[in-house]
Amino acid sequence: MFDQIDAAYYRQRACEERDRARRAAGKLAERCRQRAATYEAKAAALTAFILGSG
């Protein structure tokens, strides 16, 4: 159950970082996009773990 909560948290953070990247410019926008990709990767890994262990 905690893995599902963590995956949802990482998906939400990725969404927030993508929104922040749209509003930002230059290096800040690039950092936000990189953070969003990292959060999405973490969520995908947790989701794969959840589905594999289910």
Side-chain angles (χ1 to χ4, degrees):
M1 176 169 169
F2 290 112
D3 291 333
Q4 293 170 333
I5 294 169
D6 289 344
Y9 168 77
Y10 287 134
R11 283 191 295 274
Q12 179 62 35
R13 285 297 310 266
C15 182
E16 291 170 359
E17 290 296 331
R18 282 192 302 274
D19 289 344
R20 190 173 294 140
R22 277 188 224 110
R23 292 189 307 264
K27 290 184 180 183
L28 179 59
E30 182 59 31
R31 275 186 292 206
C32 291
R33 282 190 288 274
Q34 289 173 349
R35 275 188 240 137
T38 300
Y39 286 130
E40 287 176 355
K42 287 182 178 184
L46 281 171
T47 302
F49 175 75
I50 292 165
L51 294 175
S53 66

